[in-house]
Amino acid sequence: QHGSRAEAEVHEMITPECSLYLADSSIKNAGFGVFAGRDFAYGERIGEPGIGIHVTDPSLIFDANEVLPEFGWDPYTTGGVHEGNDVLTFLPGVGMLSNFHPTLSNVMSGGLKEDPIFDRSKDVSTGANTAYHNFTFIATKQIEAGSEIFPSIDQGWFTVDSGQDW
């Protein structure tokens, strides 16, 4: 029977809710931004859990003209501070796609869970994998559908990114 309750239930099961989407940022000339596709309550996790990739000694890998380091996160925020003396963490997904604004922050880091699946002393593929998983953002206030997601980033970002101390 077309339009039946059973048909509606099946449609709901196979049509997942769009909780996040990309669109033109509300910040002028910032490119795309990440937006809430539904309402999020205070304390609710935002997006699907992702991985964290800690890069040790990034200054030996990247030079000042490369764009990729601009998308790195401070290891104190992500839990990678003990990976080395100089660490930069990449958070593929919302962590690298979202824009920053110093006064519009509405989510904070949920941290990473360290869960190594390989034994460094035995498994040769250890270096090809990350032991850091389950990264999400947490809403720091009620977020309405259609609102842009702005992570809380410490003020050190300005010094690294622009060379200016705000």
Side-chain angles (χ1 to χ4, degrees):
Q1 180 180 359
H2 184 69
S4 70
R5 179 180 166 99
E7 186 178 87
E9 288 174 2
V10 168
H11 178 74
E12 186 176 308
M13 288 185 334
I14 62 172
T15 309
E17 180 181 24
C18 178
S19 63
L20 297 172
Y21 63 92
L22 290 174
D24 288 332
S25 178
S26 58
I27 299 174
K28 186 177 178 180
N29 299 321
F32 286 111
V34 177
F35 289 81
R38 64 173 182 82
D39 292 345
F40 288 95
Y42 169 82
E44 188 174 353
R45 294 196 178 271
I46 308 290
E48 295 296 319
I51 64 170
I53 303 168
H54 298 299
V55 177
T56 55
D57 299 319
S59 58
L60 299 176
I61 300 168
F62 304 111
D63 66 32
N65 298 322
E66 294 188 63
V67 174
L68 191 59
E70 292 182 22
F71 295 94
W73 283 72
D74 179 79
Y76 287 96
T77 303
T78 61
V81 68
H82 300 294
E83 291 296 310
N85 291 330
D86 185 15
V87 179
L88 188 61
T89 304
F90 293 107
L91 302 170
V94 177
M96 291 179 81
L97 292 172
S98 54
N99 288 314
F100 165 73
H101 190 280
T103 61
L104 299 177
S105 171
N106 55 9
V107 297
M108 63 181 234
S109 166
L112 283 164
K113 176 183 177 187
E114 184 179 9
D115 185 19
I117 57 174
F118 295 104
D119 182 334
R120 285 197 161 302
S121 66
K122 298 177 187 170
D123 298 312
V124 295
S125 60
T126 300
N129 294 279
T130 180
Y132 293 90
H133 304 273
N134 208 32
F135 180 85
T136 56
F137 286 107
I138 299 170
T140 57
K141 57 180 79 171
Q142 172 73 27
I143 301 172
E144 294 182 14
S147 299
E148 189 165 0
I149 301 297
F150 291 110
S152 174
I153 301 174
D154 71 17
Q155 295 299 313
W157 182 85
F158 284 115
T159 305
V160 172
D161 185 64
S162 67
Q164 299 178 31
D165 190 5
W166 300 81

